Amino acid sequence: MNIANRKLKGCAALTLALLLLVLSACSSKPGGSAQPASSSSGAPAAEQTLKYVTLNMPRSLDPVHIDAQRITSDGIAEPLVMLNDDGSIRPWLAASWKNLEPTLWEVELRPNVKFWSGAVMDAAAVKAALERHQKLNKRGPSQIGGVEFIVKDSLHLLMKTPKPDPNFIFKLSGFAIHNAEEANRLGDKFNTQADLTGFMKPVQFTPGELMIAEAFPGYWGEKPKLQRLEARLGADAQARLLALKNGDADADMNVEVEQRVSYEKDSKFETYFPIGQTTNLWLNMKKVPALQDKNVRMAINLAVDRKELIEGVSRGFASKATGHFPAGLPYAITTSTETDRSKAEKILDEAGWKKGPDGIRAKDGQKLKLKMLTYTVFQPLAIALQSQLKGVGIEIELNPVETTASNQMMLDGTFDTATYCSCGTATGDIGGQLYSYYYTGVASNYGGYSNPKVDRLIDQLISEFDANKQLGLAKEIQTLVQEDVPIIYLFNNTRWGAAYNKKVKGIDKNLQTKIVPGMYISQ
């Protein structure tokens, strides 16, 4: 059941076209031209409270923190541009933008936008927020590092990039605008008392566990139909399913495979799965000596039985991976790795990794034993990989942690291998995504991969304005990376979908897991 693959092929031409059209994007409303996926028929219920469960609760409301999970998806924080499910972007706090010179952009802001405190969100405030991201957000340097922000007037901000970057605007989708002056005044208190622009404002917040928000009456855009949002941690997938079936929740924002089957069999629910992504196994080449041996990485790649992972762990809701980007996209490559355990064992034997009496390989007195960082949604995958790799003499010790805790561990590099959801997907910023994964020294290049030729090609790609040349460079980069095996590409799937009670209406078809102003509860 290659659902993910069919969706990807259907959007390939659209994504390529978006690369050519994005520079002239503009819209009068944050919703752009996208239409709701759910029918707007049915009178609204008297109680407009949306309750949802998720395994990805925020630990901070400060957008510069990596643990500020879902605050943009919940309509609490807002970026200048919003990333759609298909990899395109739509205007949000920015009304429009244009490329004045290869390294100079002008962004026009929406008028009459205020933070919850009443402070005006003008060009100076946006400049301060983005500069704070540059300083404090660990992902800032790789995305907006070296960018100079220049206030032209109250509604126009100039952005000067260190070098030409045709897809620079896409990078702004990851940085929510906030009142930096208030953040500097409050210090750590800003984690729970953030001053943002969203249509939902938290009134109760227990980091990592609970967030209750209410519609903000002074919101600048479309007035929200929902009046209250109640989000709770649901670390266990079956517990989230039961919460929906019992009517204790209206939505599950992290649908897993087993529960997807149950939701889709129940006429009370509707499931939404964005365009697929490439699920990976991360390898920490920087800190784990055994993984610096390419032979070990190659053997892991050959030992993985992707068919078993697709048909078993993913219940058929997946398709075979090729390279970084999901198969079917115009910038994806077509070559893939076939399972060959005999070859994997031969490579390890010839590299000096010999099996001991316990079946585990060792070299120079060092056992081939690796820890695998994982969390709830990926534990079935991790258990399957543990079994598969043991078959060729590689011992895997599972290290399960709470979901948001894994974010910091990845950034700190405190892992050997990891089933971590930072995965290749459809994008309008091809160079930016490859840069964040494979460029030497970038924070989100978690495994510490480094190849000077790949760096040079990425530099060329992110400065290339010709769409056809972009595609060629992207494929060349992926081919080189695939040969180096810094990451194990497992399969393409549509993890991180959402299930809603059918009483939830106004779901945006291109922001399927996000709370939008037009959503409401019908009778």
Side-chain angles (χ1 to χ4, degrees):
M1 188 181 292
N2 295 329
I3 296 173
N5 199 35
R6 291 201 297 269
K7 286 187 177 182
L8 284 167
K9 289 180 179 178
C11 77
L14 171 62
T15 306
L16 178 57
L18 286 164
L19 292 175
L20 304 176
L21 297 174
V22 67
L23 302 185
S24 60
C26 64
S27 175
S28 60
K29 294 183 179 180
S33 60
Q35 299 298 314
S38 295
S39 169
S40 60
S41 62
E47 180 71 25
Q48 285 300 309
T49 298
L50 177 70
K51 301 177 182 180
Y52 80 76
V53 284
T54 178
L55 58 79
N56 214 11
M57 284 294 295
R59 291 184 171 186
S60 170
L61 300 178
D62 185 346
V64 303
H65 288 180
I66 191 171
D67 284 338
Q69 300 287 347
R70 280 205 62 87
I71 63 172
T72 298
S73 299
D74 287 342
I76 290 167
E78 298 179 303
L80 292 175
V81 296
M82 187 70 76
L83 185 66
N84 290 314
D85 292 340
D86 66 5
S88 64
I89 53 174
R90 69 176 77 180
W92 209 266
L93 290 177
S96 63
W97 52 86
K98 54 186 175 182
N99 186 216
L100 303 177
E101 300 173 10
T103 60
L104 186 64
W105 296 79
E106 180 179 310
V107 173
E108 180 181 359
L109 305 175
R110 296 187 187 277
N112 306 316
V113 179
K114 293 184 178 180
F115 296 106
W116 296 332
S117 65
V120 176
M121 191 218 74
D122 56 11
V126 173
K127 168 182 163 72
L130 292 174
E131 288 177 341
R132 187 167 178 267
H133 276 295
Q134 285 178 320
K135 181 180 179 181
L136 300 176
N137 190 324
K138 291 189 177 181
R139 290 172 176 163
S142 67
Q143 299 296 306
I144 55 174
V147 178
E148 182 182 1
F149 302 102
I150 306 162
V151 175
K152 181 178 180 181
D153 57 45
S154 63
L155 291 180
H156 294 85
L157 185 65
L158 300 177
M159 303 184 182
K160 188 171 181 60
T161 60
K163 49 190 174 184
D165 184 353
N167 299 312
F168 168 71
I169 296 298
F170 281 85
K171 295 176 174 62
L172 300 177
S173 66
F175 301 98
I177 304 304
H178 55 283
N179 188 343
E181 183 178 340
E182 186 72 354
N184 294 333
R185 185 182 73 82
L186 290 176
D188 289 343
K189 291 182 179 179
F190 199 72
N191 286 309
T192 56
Q193 301 174 33
D195 193 16
L196 307 169
T197 63
F199 56 87
M200 284 290 175
K201 180 181 179 182
V203 295
Q204 184 177 345
F205 178 55
T206 304
E209 296 180 16
L210 170 70
M211 183 174 64
I212 298 176
E214 294 181 351
F216 179 59
Y219 183 60
W220 61 271
E222 177 187 354
K223 301 305 177 187
K225 295 178 180 179
L226 293 172
Q227 295 304 301
R228 186 177 172 92
L229 181 67
E230 297 181 3
R232 288 178 169 80
L233 177 67
D236 181 77
Q238 189 64 18
R240 295 196 302 274
L241 173 67
L242 291 175
L244 263 67
K245 288 190 174 283
N246 294 336
D248 296 325
D250 304 300
D252 175 356
M253 294 302 186
N254 301 98
V255 177
E256 299 181 38
V257 173
E258 295 294 332
Q259 289 67 39
R260 176 175 182 171
V261 174
S262 183
Y263 284 128
E264 292 185 349
K265 288 181 178 179
D266 194 324
S267 61
K268 292 186 300 183
F269 304 110
E270 195 77 55
T271 56
Y272 296 88
F273 286 85
I275 292 167
Q277 59 189 17
T278 304
T279 295
N280 306 321
L281 177 66
W282 286 85
L283 306 178
N284 195 340
M285 299 168 58
K286 185 176 182 180
K287 294 186 177 181
V288 182
L291 294 175
Q292 292 166 6
D293 184 344
K294 184 178 177 180
N295 293 299
V296 173
R297 304 197 304 272
M298 290 172 60
I300 293 173
N301 199 26
L302 290 165
V304 171
D305 186 339
R306 291 162 177 81
K307 183 178 180 182
E308 179 181 286
L309 298 180
I310 291 169
E311 296 180 355
V313 175
S314 297
R315 294 286 296 273
F317 292 105
S319 58
K320 193 172 182 179
T322 53
H324 174 87
F325 293 109
L329 290 169
Y331 38 87
I333 57 176
T334 58
T335 54
S336 59
T337 301
E338 299 296 333
T339 302
D340 192 334
R341 291 183 177 176
S342 296
K343 185 175 180 180
E345 296 217 53
K346 183 179 180 182
I347 289 173
L348 291 171
D349 285 337
E350 292 176 351
W353 293 95
K354 303 296 185 180
K355 281 186 177 180
D358 59 357
I360 304 303
R361 294 178 181 274
K363 181 179 181 180
D364 299 328
Q366 184 66 42
K367 280 196 171 186
L368 192 47
K369 180 178 180 180
L370 304 168
K371 288 187 177 182
M372 185 175 291
L373 177 67
T374 189
Y375 47 93
T376 306
V377 72
F378 280 124
Q379 276 192 259
L381 171 62
I383 291 169
L385 290 171
Q386 180 187 45
S387 175
Q388 291 179 1
L389 295 178
K390 185 177 181 180
V392 296
I394 301 173
E395 183 176 354
I396 298 294
E397 178 186 342
L398 299 186
N399 180 26
V401 300
E402 190 267 324
T403 305
T404 51
S406 65
N407 297 326
Q408 193 62 49
M409 293 178 72
M410 292 297 290
L411 280 172
D412 292 342
T414 53
F415 70 97
D416 295 349
T417 66
T419 56
Y420 181 68
C421 189
S422 185
C423 312
T425 188
T427 180
D429 184 13
I430 306 171
Q433 190 171 131
L434 292 174
Y435 177 88
S436 67
Y437 277 71
Y438 308 113
Y439 200 89
T440 302
V442 173
S444 51
N445 176 356
Y446 302 114
Y449 172 64
S450 180
N451 181 328
K453 185 174 181 180
V454 168
D455 289 350
R456 288 195 297 272
L457 288 170
I458 290 176
D459 283 333
Q460 186 178 344
L461 172 58
I462 61 180
S463 299
E464 180 57 65
F465 281 77
D466 184 284
N468 288 325
K469 291 181 180 179
Q470 285 185 14
L471 301 185
L473 286 166
K475 292 178 180 179
E476 185 177 358
I477 291 165
Q478 290 176 86
T479 299
L480 288 171
V481 169
Q482 189 179 62
E483 292 171 356
D484 287 338
V485 205
I487 289 177
I488 307 299
Y489 304 117
L490 301 175
F491 48 79
N492 301 152
N493 72 333
T494 51
R495 187 176 293 279
W496 305 118
Y500 295 90
N501 186 302
K502 286 187 177 178
K503 290 184 178 181
V504 181
K505 305 293 184 181
I507 299 164
D508 191 304
K509 68 179 181 180
N510 214 0
L511 298 172
Q512 296 173 357
T513 62
K514 291 182 171 63
I515 311 302
V516 294
M519 290 176 71
Y520 69 96
I521 309 297
S522 66
Q523 292 180 347

